Amino acid sequence: MLTLPTQIPWKHRLVWAGGWFVAFVWAGVFPLIEAPGPHRVWGACASVGYLCAAGAALWPRGRRLSVGAAFAGAVAVPLLVLLAGGWAQSEVGVIERSGALMLSQATPYLAEPRTVVEVTPYLPGMAVFGLPRAVLGDGGPLPGLLGDARLWCAAAFLGCLWAARRATGRAVGRAGTGGAAGRDAVVAFVASPVVALPLCVSGVDLPLIGLLFLALAYAARRRPVAAGLALAAACSLKWTAWPAVAVAVALLAQRGGARAAVQGAAVAVAGTVLLVLPSALLSPGPLVQQVFAFPTGRGPWETPAASPLPGRLLADLGPAGWYAAVALLLAGGLAVAVSSSCGRRTASCPPPTGSPSACAWRSSWRRPGGSGTWPCRSRWWCWRGWWVVPVGRRPRAAASYGPRVPRGRCRFRSCGVPGERPPYRGGGSRPAVGRSPVLLGSGRGGAPSGVRAA
């Protein structure tokens, strides 16, 4: 769909324009409802940008113009307005306070929080994004602007996207159709509501999402140590990233074997323990109460977050609904575990074969329970859409394609003889070059029938 501007068909332009128009309608609702102040500011700016993007997308050469308009209206302008006005969700203040506490007492948790705003529901790694505020302070407009945690969360997220593109073998800035289309796709994803809204108003989930995708991209490229380090960094931010370790290990086992899977898991677990253990030893009680009990609705503080999602609706039914939401969440994790264990033996539940499919697995863990077992805000939608970010190649089924063949040899990977093609036994025309299945027309363990072994 993303081709040269002069080659975009009319129906594809309609799809792009329709997508931006849907985003315009969604963003335009925020100024009309009783949403928090930062959400209303974002909706007013983003709706104008999305409407301009929808109009520009109808022009044959307007693909890049539409993406730029959406990015300017949904990311650049509202972020500058919110930063200049000092408007943000309460999570930004929580992160900045945790950074100051980390410098002063080596743990980001208050011993006895009095209000819900003083609770830090994140693991110690999240305090890193509050350190700039603690170091620079508020002594002037420039230090106040550069110390905002949203800037550093967005920088971490975009850096992970860039590194994931490099890890998947697609060079950033490559000339040609594919490179330009890939860059436009990434910018369009960042400008979409699922990323633009949390980036501007809070930014708290973006580093976690970026690190998880980077870890899965490294796992797809058979780099267990790098994948383990990225997983450790993600798991030190929020405990909701911990199930991604199992998905990354399954991907490493599929792509690199058992040794790579064990190595990646060991690095991830060891790195997480190394990053979390100091704060756990210094303040074990506050960590358990604020990080685990509070988000699941079992703490002494009531969360102000609310969304009409399945997990929240079930939790509002009382203890029975809470246990039902937990059961659905565990059922989703069990389904992923069963699929991981049987994927090598059956084709009905294949294991992840690339970073996009692994991201779909990671997202499916949270799908049965809706938003999980606790209330959340609209940034939950970022969890629904983050895994579609187009930074990786389209995965190829391991059971349908063989190893890559050098230039000059037979493009039919089932044939081992240079320059020869195996006979096509299905009748009719031959399949497309490079798309023939492995061992086409062969028996159980030999070369294709009618082809002499090399």
Side-chain angles (χ1 to χ4, degrees), residues 11-433:
K11 61 179 182 179
H12 291 171
R13 281 181 273 156
L14 285 179
V15 171
W16 272 88
W20 291 128
F21 185 78
V22 171
F24 156 74
V25 174
W26 190 77
V29 173
F30 284 95
L32 305 178
I33 61 176
E34 294 183 1
H39 292 70
R40 296 166 65 90
V41 173
W42 177 86
C45 299
S47 59
V48 177
Y50 289 143
L51 185 60
C52 295
L58 296 176
W59 184 41
R61 299 173 181 268
R63 183 198 68 192
R64 187 163 298 176
L65 180 61
S66 67
V67 173
F71 182 83
V75 178
V77 173
L79 182 59
L80 290 177
V81 172
L82 292 173
L83 289 175
W87 300 324
Q89 285 188 181
S90 59
E91 291 88 340
V92 178
V94 171
I95 296 175
E96 294 174 354
R97 186 192 64 243
S98 64
L101 291 175
M102 181 66 77
L103 287 181
S104 61
Q105 62 184 22
T107 177
Y109 308 106
L110 292 174
E112 297 180 356
R114 300 178 181 178
T115 61
V116 67
V117 182
E118 296 180 352
V119 176
T120 304
Y122 311 116
L123 289 173
M126 191 68 74
V128 173
F129 301 100
L131 293 178
R133 173 68 71 189
V135 173
L136 297 176
D138 296 322
L142 185 58
L145 180 66
L146 295 180
D148 197 288
R150 284 172 292 182
L151 290 179
W152 302 100
C153 291
F157 175 70
L158 297 177
C160 289
L161 291 189
W162 178 83
R165 279 182 60 83
R166 296 295 299 267
T168 52
R170 307 182 76 173
V172 179
R174 179 188 302 173
T177 305
R183 287 192 300 270
D184 290 343
V186 173
V187 175
F189 177 76
V190 175
S192 64
V194 296
V195 176
L197 175 60
L199 188 150
C200 293
V201 300
S202 66
V204 63
D205 286 327
L206 296 182
L208 175 64
I209 294 170
L211 286 170
L212 289 181
F213 193 87
L214 180 61
L216 295 177
Y218 281 142
R221 303 301 292 178
R222 304 179 185 89
R223 298 177 61 180
V225 176
L229 292 176
L231 282 174
C235 293
S236 67
L237 301 180
K238 298 180 72 173
W239 63 267
T240 51
W242 293 355
V245 177
V247 178
V249 169
L251 180 58
L252 283 171
Q254 175 70 15
R255 302 300 296 270
R259 181 178 180 180
V262 173
Q263 188 177 7
V267 173
V269 174
T272 303
V273 171
L274 184 63
L275 294 174
V276 176
L277 187 60
S279 296
L281 295 178
L282 291 174
S283 54
L287 186 146
V288 172
Q289 287 293 325
Q290 300 179 37
V291 177
F292 297 99
F294 170 69
T296 56
R298 293 301 182 183
W301 312 278
E302 183 178 356
T303 173
S307 292
L309 300 172
R312 168 61 188 267
L313 297 178
L314 286 174
D316 287 343
L317 297 178
W322 188 87
Y323 286 113
V326 173
L328 287 175
L329 200 63
L330 294 178
L334 180 62
V336 172
V338 171
S339 179
S340 174
S341 62
C342 72
R344 288 180 175 270
R345 298 191 298 270
T346 65
S348 60
C349 52
T353 57
S355 52
S357 60
C359 292
W361 270 39
R362 173 62 184 91
S363 181
S364 67
W365 176 75
R366 290 172 61 92
R367 192 170 294 129
S371 64
T373 61
W374 54 91
C376 64
R377 294 188 175 91
S378 56
R379 67 170 180 268
W380 172 86
W381 292 105
C382 201
W383 283 100
R384 302 275 65 80
W386 70 274
W387 55 272
V388 301
V389 59
V391 300
R393 288 192 177 96
R394 186 176 180 178
R396 299 183 302 173
S400 301
Y401 296 87
R404 300 181 65 179
V405 180
R407 290 178 178 264
R409 296 182 64 87
C410 177
R411 294 290 302 276
F412 286 80
R413 295 176 175 85
S414 59
C415 180
V417 182
E420 294 188 12
R421 292 186 177 184
Y424 181 60
R425 299 181 59 186
S429 59
R430 292 181 180 271
V433 174

